[in-house]
Amino acid sequence: QVQLVESGGGLVQAGGSLRLSCVFSGGTLSTYIMGWFRQAPGKEREFVASISRNGDRTYYTDSAKGRFTISRDNPQNTAYLQMNSLNPEDTAVYYCATSAETDYTRSVYARPDQYRHWGQGTQVTVSS
C-alpha cells in the first residue's frame, strides 16, 4: 500500500540544476526518516542525503555538500532533492526511501538496509 513515486530526473548539461520530487502515499511521511540514494552502472548504491522526521537535521555525502539540498513538506507528503552545479559524476539512478528507525544516526540514515520503502528511481544524466 505504501508507495513512493519519484519524478524530476532528466538530462541536463554540466553546471545545471534539477529538482527531484518524491511523493509518498499509503501512510504519513512525517513518521519516517527520508533518504536519497543513487546508483550508477556497475557501482554500489550510494548514500546522498537524509533528513530527519521534522526536518531539523540533515546530512549529506561529501560530494553533495554545498551543491545539493534535501527538504520535505510533510503536509504534502513530499520530499525533495535540489541539485545544483551538477557534473557528469552525478549521473545515476536516484532513489528516495523512508526509514522507520527511531535513532537518527549515521548507522541508520546512511545505510540502505535501514530503509523499508523505496521509490522506483529516476534517471539523472549530466552531460559534459
Side-chain angles (χ1 to χ4, degrees), residues 29-75:
L29 185 62
S30 62
T31 64
Y32 297 97
I33 295 166
M34 169 61 68
W36 286 94
F37 295 79
R38 65 187 180 189
Q39 188 165 23
K43 297 183 179 180
E44 295 182 353
R45 187 164 41 188
E46 176 189 19
F47 167 74
V48 178
S50 73
I51 187 168
S52 60
R53 287 172 169 83
N54 64 1
D56 64 339
R57 289 172 290 170
T58 59
Y59 290 93
Y60 300 89
T61 190
D62 286 345
S63 64
K65 293 178 180 177
R67 300 190 300 126
F68 293 5
T69 302
I70 187 171
S71 62
R72 64 194 301 163
D73 186 346
N74 285 336

Side-chain angles (χ1 to χ4, degrees), residues 71-112:
S71 62
R72 64 194 301 163
D73 186 346
N74 285 336
Q76 296 296 319
N77 273 4
T78 304
Y80 304 94
L81 183 67
Q82 177 68 46
M83 304 185 294
N84 299 326
S85 301
L86 287 163
N87 58 63
E89 288 69 40
D90 296 315
T91 295
V93 177
Y94 283 70
Y95 301 90
C96 63
T98 57
S99 173
E101 296 298 316
T102 301
D103 296 329
Y104 190 72
T105 63
R106 183 158 52 195
S107 63
V108 172
Y109 66 71
R111 289 175 54 178

